[in-house]
Amino acid sequence: MDSPFKDDALKGKVALLTGGGSGIGFEISTQFGKHGASIAIMGRRRQALDAAVSALASLGIPAIGFEGDVRKPEDARRVVESTFQHYGRIDILVNAAAGNFLVSAEDLSPNGFRTVMDIDSVGTFTMCHEVLKYLKKGGPGRTSSSGGVILNISATLHYTASWYQIHVSAAKAAVDATTRNLALEWGTDYDIRVNGIAPGPISDTPGMSKLVPEEITNKSMDHMTLYKLGEKWDIAMAAVYLASDAGKYVNGSILPVDGGHWLSRPRHLPKDAVKQLSRAIEKKSRTAPVGLPKSKL
């Protein structure tokens, strides 16, 4: 689909993305590049990094990849420094690295729980912490009078509760809390805007292939508000909005991009039966005795 934004919406910006070599992260990388940004991708797999950088370069997008694990502060520091050395500035950080798998709470080991927390929540804070000096107003390489932008990719799982996702729900709740607190502190002190995007079920992503594999017969779309899965493009457009001047007064917000899926519930009554049942209930209510109920004593 064509973007509703101008091609130069992010012209001259440098964006560092964790998890930017695949899935939603790669689509954000691509759309940022198409809108004028230069891209740095951090990931653990060199082969995936090279493939992503090559794909971006084929579109004429300046891109570079750095191996690193967001769970390791030394890796985060090295990648941030390398990005600055390569481009001379950093304007946008997108934390899209994440871990996920289906598991019931009783079968989830503390180590498995900790691993997802380390990648999603601790890794997000670590990257934010390391990039702060380059994003804050007046920091190295900053030519504008404003600070930079941080986008944290979250989820809607923790808004209510989700089957077999206790580890991810806890991690994403921590990410949202981190987003709001940094928006308060760093927005006030350093003019850095910090926002989140909470994707719903997005087609053709590693997350969907893990959570709803082909082996599972799933009827969740029967209850979805818009009756369809989202696309990676939808998340990327939200990211372009929040990272560009179009979102210059948005700070501390978590934007759900899920078609209203987290609001969805199975329909317990067919629509055509609602009116008939409602009339019957109203009629019964009108013919009921008026006054205080009789005591049962």
Side-chain angles (χ1 to χ4, degrees):
M1 296 178 63
D2 294 332
S3 169
F5 298 98
K6 293 182 178 179
D7 292 343
D8 61 353
L10 298 175
K11 184 178 180 179
K13 304 293 186 182
V14 173
L16 169 59
L17 302 96
T18 70
S22 63
I24 289 172
F26 180 68
E27 183 65 19
I28 295 175
S29 298
T30 302
Q31 293 300 333
F32 275 12
K34 287 184 175 181
H35 289 83
S38 298
I39 306 300
I41 297 173
M42 177 181 181
R44 288 181 290 171
R45 297 176 294 139
R46 168 50 62 184
Q47 185 175 359
L49 282 174
D50 290 343
V53 169
S54 178
L56 293 173
S58 70
L59 297 173
I61 299 171
I64 190 170
F66 298 107
E67 281 188 85
D69 189 333
V70 296
R71 293 173 292 182
K72 300 177 180 179
E74 61 274 17
D75 282 11
R77 189 174 305 115
R78 172 178 50 80
V79 170
V80 168
E81 295 292 339
S82 297
T83 300
F84 178 76
Q85 292 299 323
H86 185 80
Y87 287 119
R89 63 185 295 160
I90 303 176
D91 301 283
I92 304 165
L93 170 67
V94 178
N95 288 301
N100 201 348
F101 49 90
L102 283 171
V103 63
S104 65
E106 63 198 73
D107 292 329
L108 176 64
S109 70
N111 186 58
F113 187 93
R114 186 182 302 110
T115 297
V116 174
M117 291 293 292
D118 282 346
I119 296 172
D120 289 41
S121 51
V122 180
T124 290
F125 176 76
T126 299
M127 292 301 299
C128 292
H129 189 269
E130 293 302 329
V131 84
L132 171 60
K133 68 178 180 180
Y134 296 115
L135 291 186
K136 65 182 181 180
K137 183 169 61 176
R142 301 217 61 75
T143 55
S144 64
S145 59
S146 62
V149 174
I150 296 174
L151 295 178
N152 297 324
I153 307 303
S154 181
T156 61
L157 301 171
H158 55 289
Y159 291 1
T160 53
S162 298
W163 288 99
Y164 316 128
Q165 291 284 274
I166 188 173
H167 47 323
V168 182
S169 295
K172 294 305 187 184
V175 170
D176 282 357
T178 298
T179 296
R180 295 189 180 98
N181 280 270
L182 291 184
L184 174 65
E185 294 192 35
W186 291 359
T188 302
D189 294 340
Y190 303 122
D191 199 26
I192 297 173
R193 293 192 297 111
V194 187
N195 291 295
I197 300 175
I202 305 299
S203 62
D204 193 27
T205 60
M208 278 298 292
S209 64
K210 288 182 178 181
L211 300 182
V212 191
E214 294 179 357
E215 290 81 1
I216 295 179
T217 300
N218 191 291
K219 295 185 178 181
S220 61
M221 281 206 301
D222 293 345
H223 313 302
M224 292 178 68
T225 309
L226 297 182
Y227 200 68
K228 60 184 177 182
L229 297 175
E231 300 175 0
K232 291 174 286 189
W233 184 91
D234 297 311
I235 310 304
M237 289 299 102
V240 172
Y241 161 67
L242 290 172
S244 71
D245 288 341
K248 65 183 180 63
Y249 200 52
V250 182
N251 185 41
S253 294
I254 314 297
L255 176 60
V257 184
D258 73 334
H261 179 60
W262 80 272
L263 300 170
S264 301
R265 296 292 182 273
R267 194 190 301 265
H268 65 278
L269 186 67
K271 187 191 297 186
D272 56 6
V274 174
K275 185 180 295 186
Q276 181 179 355
L277 180 61
S278 178
R279 288 175 176 172
I281 293 174
E282 286 299 315
K283 182 178 180 180
K284 182 179 180 181
S285 176
R286 286 193 295 269
T287 58
V290 178
L292 296 174
K294 296 179 178 179
S295 172
K296 293 183 179 180
L297 294 178

